[in-house]
Amino acid sequence: MTAPIIEDTGRWLARNLPFVDHVALMGLENTGFAIANDGMLWMDPVDFGDGLARAVDHLSAAGVNVSIYNLPKCVLPKSVWPHALQSISDWKNGFVEECDRCDAKSACSGFFTTGRPRFSRGVRAITAEREELSRLAN
């Protein structure tokens, strides 16, 4: 429910709470009441990535440390990759087959294996080849 307003939230925090040292932005684990409210809560990270990147920009510009937890790097804008951390406990952390050829797998959060896992349509292995194609396209 916060994804559509994540940029506004980041801007508000940066402007109104100058004493904040660290903001952690977290993807939702699809378990418990989140399963019962899946239709209202699930949003593909691809669909809020641009707003998330702008929120990180606002916070970083204000000198706030920012971490992104529980979201795989490949579904996020490249600009926020340095903030996206491996954050899911090893006992409930997993990867899909596409991740087997990913160069960033060891530094990626992967996916929750608990509850009812949801997977973004943007899941793609991060490889040197993919990065080169992206660079050439831009």
Side-chain angles (χ1 to χ4, degrees), residues 25-30 45 48 68-71 87 112:
L25 304 168
M26 303 180 78
L28 182 67
E29 180 176 6
N30 201 18
F48 63 84
I68 299 171
Y69 298 137
N70 307 342
L71 293 169
S87 53
F112 286 104

mmCIF file of all heavy atoms in Angstrom, residues 25-30 45 48 68-71 87 112:
data_model
loop_
_atom_site.group_PDB
_atom_site.id
_atom_site.type_symbol
_atom_site.label_atom_id
_atom_site.label_comp_id
_atom_site.label_asym_id
_atom_site.label_seq_id
_atom_site.Cartn_x
_atom_site.Cartn_y
_atom_site.Cartn_z
ATOM 1 N N LEU A 25 13.949 0.316 3.520
ATOM 2 C CA LEU A 25 12.770 0.100 2.683
ATOM 3 C C LEU A 25 12.688 -1.393 2.412
ATOM 4 O O LEU A 25 13.641 -1.993 1.914
ATOM 5 C CB LEU A 25 12.903 0.905 1.386
ATOM 6 C CG LEU A 25 13.123 2.399 1.597
ATOM 7 C CD1 LEU A 25 13.530 3.080 0.302
ATOM 8 C CD2 LEU A 25 11.883 3.043 2.185
ATOM 9 N N MET A 26 11.554 -1.994 2.770
ATOM 10 C CA MET A 26 11.485 -3.452 2.777
ATOM 11 C C MET A 26 10.363 -3.989 1.911
ATOM 12 O O MET A 26 9.234 -3.528 1.990
ATOM 13 C CB MET A 26 11.281 -3.943 4.214
ATOM 14 C CG MET A 26 12.358 -3.478 5.150
ATOM 15 S SD MET A 26 12.143 -4.046 6.828
ATOM 16 C CE MET A 26 12.716 -5.721 6.644
ATOM 17 N N GLY A 27 10.724 -5.003 1.111
ATOM 18 C CA GLY A 27 9.722 -5.752 0.371
ATOM 19 C C GLY A 27 8.963 -6.647 1.331
ATOM 20 O O GLY A 27 9.494 -7.097 2.352
ATOM 21 N N LEU A 28 7.730 -6.911 1.029
ATOM 22 C CA LEU A 28 6.843 -7.654 1.909
ATOM 23 C C LEU A 28 7.030 -9.163 1.786
ATOM 24 O O LEU A 28 7.104 -9.696 0.675
ATOM 25 C CB LEU A 28 5.388 -7.297 1.553
ATOM 26 C CG LEU A 28 4.282 -7.911 2.381
ATOM 27 C CD1 LEU A 28 4.327 -7.375 3.809
ATOM 28 C CD2 LEU A 28 2.930 -7.554 1.755
ATOM 29 N N GLU A 29 7.112 -9.840 2.917
ATOM 30 C CA GLU A 29 7.095 -11.297 2.926
ATOM 31 C C GLU A 29 5.633 -11.725 2.824
ATOM 32 O O GLU A 29 4.806 -11.335 3.651
ATOM 33 C CB GLU A 29 7.718 -11.838 4.216
ATOM 34 C CG GLU A 29 7.736 -13.348 4.284
ATOM 35 C CD GLU A 29 8.435 -13.877 5.521
ATOM 36 O OE1 GLU A 29 8.817 -13.066 6.400
ATOM 37 O OE2 GLU A 29 8.584 -15.104 5.628
ATOM 38 N N ASN A 30 5.319 -12.505 1.827
ATOM 39 C CA ASN A 30 3.935 -12.887 1.562
ATOM 40 C C ASN A 30 3.533 -14.067 2.447
ATOM 41 O O ASN A 30 3.472 -15.213 2.010
ATOM 42 C CB ASN A 30 3.753 -13.215 0.079
ATOM 43 C CG ASN A 30 2.306 -13.120 -0.346
ATOM 44 O OD1 ASN A 30 1.500 -12.510 0.328
ATOM 45 N ND2 ASN A 30 1.993 -13.720 -1.468
ATOM 46 N N PRO A 45 7.493 -5.301 -8.068
ATOM 47 C CA PRO A 45 8.517 -4.270 -7.867
ATOM 48 C C PRO A 45 8.876 -3.508 -9.145
ATOM 49 O O PRO A 45 9.273 -2.341 -9.078
ATOM 50 C CB PRO A 45 9.721 -5.054 -7.339
ATOM 51 C CG PRO A 45 9.130 -6.266 -6.709
ATOM 52 C CD PRO A 45 7.907 -6.606 -7.533
ATOM 53 N N PHE A 48 6.922 -0.253 -9.271
ATOM 54 C CA PHE A 48 7.209 0.882 -8.389
ATOM 55 C C PHE A 48 8.703 1.206 -8.321
ATOM 56 O O PHE A 48 9.131 2.042 -7.536
ATOM 57 C CB PHE A 48 6.625 0.698 -6.977
ATOM 58 C CG PHE A 48 7.170 -0.471 -6.183
ATOM 59 C CD1 PHE A 48 8.356 -0.357 -5.468
ATOM 60 C CD2 PHE A 48 6.468 -1.668 -6.129
ATOM 61 C CE1 PHE A 48 8.838 -1.422 -4.719
ATOM 62 C CE2 PHE A 48 6.945 -2.731 -5.379
ATOM 63 C CZ PHE A 48 8.140 -2.611 -4.675
ATOM 64 N N ILE A 68 17.727 -1.245 1.050
ATOM 65 C CA ILE A 68 16.551 -1.894 0.474
ATOM 66 C C ILE A 68 16.680 -3.373 0.793
ATOM 67 O O ILE A 68 17.674 -4.017 0.427
ATOM 68 C CB ILE A 68 16.465 -1.670 -1.051
ATOM 69 C CG1 ILE A 68 16.359 -0.181 -1.357
ATOM 70 C CG2 ILE A 68 15.288 -2.445 -1.634
ATOM 71 C CD1 ILE A 68 16.479 0.161 -2.825
ATOM 72 N N TYR A 69 15.680 -3.890 1.489
ATOM 73 C CA TYR A 69 15.682 -5.287 1.908
ATOM 74 C C TYR A 69 14.569 -6.070 1.214
ATOM 75 O O TYR A 69 13.510 -5.520 0.901
ATOM 76 C CB TYR A 69 15.455 -5.384 3.422
ATOM 77 C CG TYR A 69 16.513 -4.740 4.284
ATOM 78 C CD1 TYR A 69 16.157 -3.979 5.380
ATOM 79 C CD2 TYR A 69 17.864 -4.901 4.016
ATOM 80 C CE1 TYR A 69 17.107 -3.402 6.198
ATOM 81 C CE2 TYR A 69 18.830 -4.319 4.828
ATOM 82 C CZ TYR A 69 18.450 -3.580 5.913
ATOM 83 O OH TYR A 69 19.406 -3.001 6.717
ATOM 84 N N ASN A 70 14.828 -7.348 1.015
ATOM 85 C CA ASN A 70 13.817 -8.316 0.574
ATOM 86 C C ASN A 70 13.348 -8.140 -0.863
ATOM 87 O O ASN A 70 12.280 -8.638 -1.218
ATOM 88 C CB ASN A 70 12.601 -8.303 1.502
ATOM 89 C CG ASN A 70 12.955 -8.475 2.958
ATOM 90 O OD1 ASN A 70 14.043 -8.933 3.300
ATOM 91 N ND2 ASN A 70 12.059 -8.102 3.838
ATOM 92 N N LEU A 71 14.108 -7.453 -1.687
ATOM 93 C CA LEU A 71 13.763 -7.305 -3.103
ATOM 94 C C LEU A 71 14.981 -7.692 -3.934
ATOM 95 O O LEU A 71 16.070 -7.154 -3.727
ATOM 96 C CB LEU A 71 13.350 -5.868 -3.426
ATOM 97 C CG LEU A 71 12.041 -5.396 -2.787
ATOM 98 C CD1 LEU A 71 11.884 -3.895 -2.972
ATOM 99 C CD2 LEU A 71 10.858 -6.147 -3.367
ATOM 100 N N SER A 87 19.192 -9.901 2.499
ATOM 101 C CA SER A 87 18.568 -9.610 3.786
ATOM 102 C C SER A 87 17.646 -10.697 4.310
ATOM 103 O O SER A 87 17.182 -10.606 5.438
ATOM 104 C CB SER A 87 17.763 -8.311 3.651
ATOM 105 O OG SER A 87 16.883 -8.403 2.549
ATOM 106 N N PHE A 112 11.739 -15.048 -0.668
ATOM 107 C CA PHE A 112 11.251 -15.801 0.485
ATOM 108 C C PHE A 112 10.726 -17.153 0.007
ATOM 109 O O PHE A 112 10.032 -17.231 -1.005
ATOM 110 C CB PHE A 112 10.099 -15.055 1.171
ATOM 111 C CG PHE A 112 10.529 -13.863 1.961
ATOM 112 C CD1 PHE A 112 10.333 -12.580 1.468
ATOM 113 C CD2 PHE A 112 11.120 -14.022 3.212
ATOM 114 C CE1 PHE A 112 10.713 -11.467 2.203
ATOM 115 C CE2 PHE A 112 11.508 -12.910 3.950
ATOM 116 C CZ PHE A 112 11.308 -11.637 3.441
#
